[in-house]
């Protein structure tokens, strides 16, 4: 899902993402990520992309981070920790990327049973 959020006089191109599950073809998930990165409008100074990217390995997280860096986005949720536990294994599959913003604070809220994912959040400042 894509939309434009206006904060004061600043327009923020915003995406909510859910790529293919980790059990399906990684090529398809990478194609979805490439399409999203290609769609990110270069005319917007500010951008925000967040959601479930189904990145089950450090390599897939690295590739995702690199792909978004190529279009000017920084992984703001880096280092916040796991967002899913399946069969006792912790996965970092939910991420937030931003362009034109600085990280102030963030975390993963694990005191909930509302979903099989723990909500990841960041507090950002428009640069």
């Amino acid at each position: 899902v894509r939309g434009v959020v206006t904060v004061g006089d600043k327009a923020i191109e915003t995406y909510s993402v859910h790529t293919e599950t980790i059990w399906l073809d990684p090529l398809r998930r990478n194609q979805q990520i490439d399409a999203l990165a290609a769609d990110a409008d270069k005319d917007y100074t500010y951008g925000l992309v967040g959601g479930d990217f189904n990145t089950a390995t450090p390599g897939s997280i690295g590739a995702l981070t690199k792909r978004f860096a190529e279009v000017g986005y920084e992984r703001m949720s880096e280092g916040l920790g796991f967002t899913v536990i399946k069969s006792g294994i912790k996965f970092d599959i939910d991420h937030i990327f931003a362009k034109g913003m600085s990280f102030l604070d963030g975390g993963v809220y694990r005191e909930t049973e509302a979903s099989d994912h723990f909500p990841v959040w960041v507090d950002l400042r428009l640069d």
Side-chain angles (χ1 to χ4, degrees):
V1 175
R2 177 192 177 272
V4 177
V5 176
T6 304
V7 177
D9 64 346
K10 297 181 174 35
I12 305 168
E13 185 178 42
T14 306
Y15 295 84
S16 176
V17 177
H18 188 238
T19 64
E20 292 291 332
T21 70
I22 60 174
W23 310 117
L24 298 178
D25 185 5
L27 176 62
R28 183 182 261 174
R29 187 171 43 258
N30 289 335
Q31 289 171 335
Q32 292 171 344
I33 292 165
D34 285 341
L36 177 60
D39 188 67
D41 193 327
K42 309 296 183 278
D43 292 335
Y44 282 90
T45 301
Y46 305 101
L48 190 61
V49 179
D52 178 355
F53 288 90
N54 283 303
T55 47
T57 66
S60 63
I61 295 170
L64 174 68
T65 301
K66 180 181 177 194
R67 182 64 182 107
F68 275 103
E70 291 170 355
V71 293
Y73 284 79
E74 181 180 350
R75 185 169 154 232
M76 297 296 177
S77 56
E78 184 170 4
L80 297 180
F82 66 93
T83 58
V84 169
I85 301 175
K86 294 285 185 195
S87 302
I89 302 170
K90 297 174 181 177
F91 296 98
D92 186 3
I93 65 175
D94 301 283
H95 308 281
I96 301 172
F97 293 85
K99 174 176 76 170
M101 300 179 215
S102 297
F103 178 87
L104 297 174
D105 196 12
V108 178
Y109 182 72
R110 296 192 183 95
E111 303 300 317
T112 183
E113 295 179 11
S115 170
D116 62 333
H117 294 242
F118 299 116
V120 60
W121 61 274
V122 294
D123 187 8
L124 304 172
R125 180 184 67 235
L126 296 171
D127 291 338

